Amino acid sequence: MKNLSLFVLLLSFGAILFGCSGNVEKTPQRPNILFIMSDDHAYQAISAYGYGLNKTPNIDRIAEEGAIFNRACVTNSICAPSRAVLLTGKHSFINGKVDNLQPFNWDQDNFPKLMQANGYETAMIGKIHLDGAPQGFDYSMVLRGQGSYYNPEFMLNGSGKWERIEGYCTDIVTERMLDWLKNKRDPNKPFCALYHQKAPHRNWKPAPEYLTLYDDITFEPPVNYFDDYSNRGTAAKTQEMKIDGDARWGHDFKLITDPDGNPTGFEKQLDRFTEKQRADWLAAYTPKNDAFRAAKLEGEELAKWKFNRYIKDYLRTIKSVDDGVGEVLDYLEEAGLAENTIVVYTSDQGFYLGEHGWFDKRFMYEESFRTPLLVRFPKEIKAGTKIDKLVQNLDFAPTFLDYAGIEIPKEMQGISFRDLVSGKTSEWRDAVYYTYYEYPAEHMVKRHYGIATERYKLIHFYYDVDEWELYDLETDPHEMNNVYDDPVYTDIREDLHKRLVELRASYGDSDENDQKFLNAFLEHRNK
């Protein structure tokens, strides 16, 4: 009788349980995160941004199926500091990595560590450009320093040992990313993977299959390619990053001998190539270089040739990046992972593609300050979304933690843009803060900090100068006219100064910080 009563009780409990099952919600599956970062990829060289330079159909897919950010920007436009900001969600003067020279402290918190501690499997493959063994990753395979385009060296899982792998760097990084996704990760855990390409970083060596891409095209340089820097300050006039003037015959233009017949040193760069790689390279570039010498170009024609040699090599390296993005997106689709994976494509900063006559980055002017940002997440982001707000690389860490359901540390200075990109809110910051420290150094871009709003930009150049610049991006989108002393802008200038003081204080920056990092830089450089 006791057994019968127990049986009836269990049946009743089961009926209640199953009867209520329709109201029991399953725990939502946490999204995967695939963060794709290239190096020095200008937004002007992504076809989704509409500049018409090149075609990037695979990167464009992310924008078409998700969101494109039109005013995404960085806090410090240089390689290693940008990556430190990405990882920590803190400005350079807080995380300590203010320039490419001084060390990065891996012991501080970063968002992969927090995701790893909360059930995510984490990986980083490609360029990080931060010395020491990476922390926060179940699997890492990182390039040595800036990395080499051909036959690069990688360090596996922080071992401290470097292994040279034969092949083209962009292809190797893509292959190893796919191998990790397919074969090395735990399929029962959500993943957070950082897929970082070296390209299109200087000195722009294309893959063997793209050595002659664009040979049949002549590109017109930007409208301000022959900028004379009138009505700009000392910093714009004294930089050393002009395509026609500072770029090198060998390193940048790939000539084995200069127009006067002197060796450029580029042939030594071919020493790391395999015999076939070298033969393919010389077969592609020797006829082009011979034609250049025969033409005996001078003046503007020579300057335009230099622009074309630069921009073609730069765009050729991007073609390989775009190919890799396509391969990884295709895998996500085939594996049934696309719906629940946040895919981000960005660069560590913007880059000059001949604007003001320049290559490189560093300045707070738009082409360097802005960075491409495209995000796809079908569950929350509508296809074709466009965001014009001032999102920064400072915001990546808190955004990823937000998507993962992990508490965002108070020490992080960025803001999650999850609700902004999903359309749940339109409220956002009205200004962003920028710093740059690496001077005197390569390219000689002076130290500066500044504030940008949707329309205006106020910049202070300091250390060996004390100069202010103010730009009205609505009337002067190419930043050709410094209106700091224009009486028409007096009220705007004073308001921007006030906001700049507020922002510096809110983020914890100061003139004392500037002096501290200057002293550390000079001490490090003079060792």
Side-chain angles (χ1 to χ4, degrees):
M1 193 69 175
K2 270 187 183 179
N3 288 342
L4 181 60
S5 299
L6 181 60
F7 178 72
V8 171
L9 185 63
L10 288 171
L11 279 178
S12 301
F13 180 75
I16 292 169
L17 189 64
F18 283 109
C20 295
S21 63
N23 298 321
V24 175
E25 293 185 8
K26 292 182 179 178
T27 303
Q29 186 181 1
R30 292 190 291 174
N32 305 307
I33 297 168
L34 177 67
F35 181 81
I36 312 169
M37 177 181 272
S38 53
D39 193 304
D40 294 342
H41 192 170
Y43 58 88
Q44 311 94 289
I46 291 177
S47 44
Y49 281 97
Y51 287 82
L53 264 180
N54 59 335
K55 299 290 184 185
T56 51
N58 297 302
I59 296 171
D60 290 357
R61 278 170 60 186
I62 302 170
E64 291 161 4
E65 298 167 6
I68 185 168
F69 291 70
N70 294 316
R71 285 297 303 283
C73 55
V74 296
T75 61
N76 183 355
S77 185
I78 191 167
C79 298
S82 179
R83 286 165 167 75
V85 170
L86 153 72
L87 290 169
T88 64
K90 302 172 186 175
H91 273 281
S92 301
F93 49 85
I94 299 296
N95 68 50
K97 185 63 175 170
V98 298
D99 54 47
N100 275 342
L101 302 182
Q102 297 176 71
F104 174 67
N105 177 16
W106 276 103
D107 291 337
Q108 65 187 300
D109 270 346
N110 63 40
F111 83 85
K113 286 184 184 180
L114 294 170
M115 300 193 82
Q116 191 181 40
N118 284 273
Y120 270 75
E121 186 152 12
T122 58
M124 177 172 60
I125 299 173
K127 180 176 178 179
I128 192 60
H129 199 202
L130 297 170
D131 292 340
Q135 294 182 30
F137 301 96
D138 296 294
Y139 180 88
S140 66
M141 180 181 164
V142 297
L143 282 162
R144 186 173 201 161
Q146 294 283 9
S148 301
Y149 276 104
Y150 280 78
N151 311 318
E153 289 95 12
F154 290 87
M155 178 169 62
L156 184 64
N157 294 326
S159 65
K161 299 177 182 178
W162 298 100
E163 176 191 357
R164 182 177 290 200
I165 299 178
E166 185 176 312
Y168 187 66
C169 184
T170 305
D171 297 342
I172 294 168
V173 171
T174 297
E175 289 162 5
R176 297 306 172 100
M177 187 75 256
L178 284 168
D179 180 56
W180 184 82
L181 287 168
K182 292 176 181 179
N183 305 313
K184 290 186 167 61
R185 66 183 176 88
D186 183 347
N188 297 310
K189 289 183 176 182
F191 65 78
C192 175
L194 277 57
Y195 166 36
H196 287 191
Q197 294 289 12
K198 170 197 170 57
H201 192 277
R202 190 184 186 195
N203 65 341
W204 319 295
K205 290 191 180 81
E209 63 268 32
Y210 294 131
L211 294 173
T212 59
L213 183 66
Y214 305 119
D215 275 1
D216 58 342
I217 297 173
T218 299
F219 289 94
E220 279 300 312
V223 293
N224 57 358
Y225 181 61
F226 293 104
D227 192 352
D228 64 2
Y229 315 112
S230 57
N231 202 24
R232 251 69 51 77
T234 304
K237 294 180 175 76
T238 60
Q239 47 62 41
E240 296 179 1
M241 44 194 259
K242 293 188 72 173
I243 295 170
D244 183 25
D246 297 306
R248 304 178 211 161
W249 286 116
H251 188 68
D252 298 310
F253 300 129
K254 320 302 192 309
L255 297 180
I256 290 175
T257 58
D258 69 18
D260 296 323
N262 302 308
T264 63
F266 183 73
E267 189 165 19
K268 186 169 179 58
Q269 293 191 28
L270 299 179
D271 288 348
R272 74 177 299 115
F273 285 38
T274 65
E275 187 176 334
K276 184 174 189 316
Q277 289 167 350
R278 180 186 174 92
D280 288 344
W281 182 278
L282 292 175
Y285 278 82
T286 301
K288 292 185 275 197
N289 292 346
D290 289 346
F292 162 69
R293 283 195 185 81
K296 299 186 184 302
L297 302 174
E298 295 180 346
E300 285 196 7
E301 290 306 310
L302 176 58
K304 288 182 177 180
W305 179 90
K306 289 179 176 179
F307 170 74
N308 268 270
R309 173 54 61 95
Y310 158 57
I311 200 67
K312 288 179 184 182
D313 281 344
Y314 178 89
L315 296 177
R316 287 165 180 147
T317 67
I318 288 171
K319 183 68 171 72
S320 297
V321 174
D322 188 67
D323 290 347
V325 170
E327 290 181 51
V328 175
L329 292 180
D330 287 347
Y331 167 72
L332 295 178
E333 297 283 353
E334 293 161 7
L337 295 168
E339 185 71 16
N340 195 46
T341 299
I342 300 159
V343 178
V344 177
Y345 185 88
T346 191
S347 174
D348 53 353
Q349 64 262 321
F351 210 68
Y352 293 101
L353 304 186
E355 299 86 2
H356 306 288
W358 296 337
F359 67 97
D360 210 68
K361 56 262 183 179
R362 302 168 195 263
F363 277 110
M364 196 185 171
Y365 305 138
E366 283 295 279
E367 292 83 6
S368 168
F369 175 62
R370 281 179 58 189
T371 191
L373 177 58
L374 308 98
V375 183
R376 186 185 77 178
F377 185 36
K379 286 185 175 180
E380 292 191 17
I381 302 172
K382 292 180 181 177
T385 295
K386 292 179 173 60
I387 303 293
D388 296 321
K389 300 293 187 182
L390 288 161
V391 168
Q392 280 192 297
N393 56 345
L394 194 68
D395 303 325
F396 287 135
T399 299
F400 298 150
L401 294 175
D402 188 1
Y403 276 119
I406 300 169
E407 185 177 355
I408 301 167
K410 293 178 181 177
E411 296 76 21
M412 285 190 176
Q413 297 178 301
I415 308 168
S416 170
F417 56 75
R418 179 181 183 179
D419 287 348
L420 178 69
V421 73
S422 70
K424 289 183 179 179
T425 184
S426 60
E427 293 184 9
W428 195 247
R429 61 166 71 92
D430 64 351
V432 291
Y433 182 55
Y434 180 87
T435 58
Y436 177 76
Y437 301 89
E438 195 170 297
Y439 173 87
E442 187 174 14
H443 299 304
M444 297 300 283
V445 173
K446 293 187 182 296
R447 291 171 177 258
H448 58 289
Y449 59 84
I451 180 176
T453 67
E454 290 187 3
R455 178 169 175 175
Y456 300 106
K457 194 179 293 181
L458 178 69
I459 309 171
H460 182 214
F461 293 93
Y462 65 95
Y463 171 41
D464 58 351
V465 294
D466 181 10
E467 296 181 1
W468 291 86
E469 296 182 7
L470 171 61
Y471 295 95
D472 182 343
L473 299 178
E474 186 173 292
T475 62
D476 180 25
H478 299 299
E479 294 166 304
M480 302 289 287
N481 186 31
N482 173 21
V483 295
Y484 186 81
D485 293 322
D486 187 335
V488 171
Y489 289 88
T490 299
D491 291 343
I492 291 164
R493 183 184 67 207
E494 295 310 310
D495 181 61
L496 288 171
H497 269 288
K498 180 182 176 183
R499 291 287 291 113
L500 178 59
V501 169
E502 292 170 351
L503 270 186
R504 293 195 91 196
S506 69
Y507 284 125
D509 201 12
S510 63
D511 291 344
E512 290 75 20
N513 263 353
D514 293 338
Q515 190 62 48
K516 177 182 75 173
F517 289 119
L518 172 62
N519 293 341
F521 173 84
L522 294 174
E523 182 182 343
H524 185 91
R525 195 192 63 164
N526 293 331
K527 280 182 180 177

